[in-house]
Structures are given as structure tokens and as C-alpha cells.
Amino acid sequence: MINLRPATPADLNLLQHWDQQPHVIASDPNDDWYWEVELSRNPDWREQLIAQIEGRPIGFVQIQ
């Protein structure tokens, strides 16, 4: 079962690592999420979530 939890500043290294993967770069080579800033912001209009299976992170989703 997939679990979704809020992304937090503690996920910074994980998200930066994922952003360096070739398939992520290929999907949007000029993308920069500025994770250091965005993970500390919590506007009402957005959710940033980490998808996990059995406690292991497998992906990220943003809902606007």
C-alpha cells in the first residue's frame, strides 16, 4: 500500500538526489525547485507529499 506524507526540510537531501537522476533531468532539464526554500513554505493552495511503500520513499507529488 502506498502512503503519502508531507514533504519536510528533512527530505531535502532525498529530493536533491532524485533531481540529479538522468530520467528526472530528461523529463525537465531546466527545472529547479529551490527545495531549500519550498520545503519550508506551506501555502494553503499547495501540498507537497512524499509517496512511500512500507516506509521507503518512492516518489514526490505536488497538489495545487
Side-chain angles (χ1 to χ4, degrees):
M1 180 164 88
I2 294 177
N3 179 48
L4 297 175
R5 64 162 178 80
T8 70
D11 296 306
L12 176 62
N13 290 336
L14 174 65
L15 292 165
Q16 288 175 331
H17 170 74
W18 284 345
D19 276 353
Q20 295 171 1
Q21 301 310 299
H23 66 283
V24 174
I25 293 168
S27 71
D28 193 355
N30 299 316
D31 194 26
D32 189 347
W33 281 65
Y34 302 101
W35 292 117
E36 298 87 349
V37 174
E38 293 303 319
L39 288 173
S40 63
R41 295 180 59 229
N42 292 308
D44 292 338
W45 52 267
R46 178 186 77 189
E47 288 185 72
Q48 293 183 314
L49 305 167
I50 299 290
Q52 298 180 307
I53 293 179
E54 296 181 4
R56 183 176 58 88
I58 61 164
F60 171 84
V61 63
Q62 178 170 284
I63 302 169
Q64 294 182 342

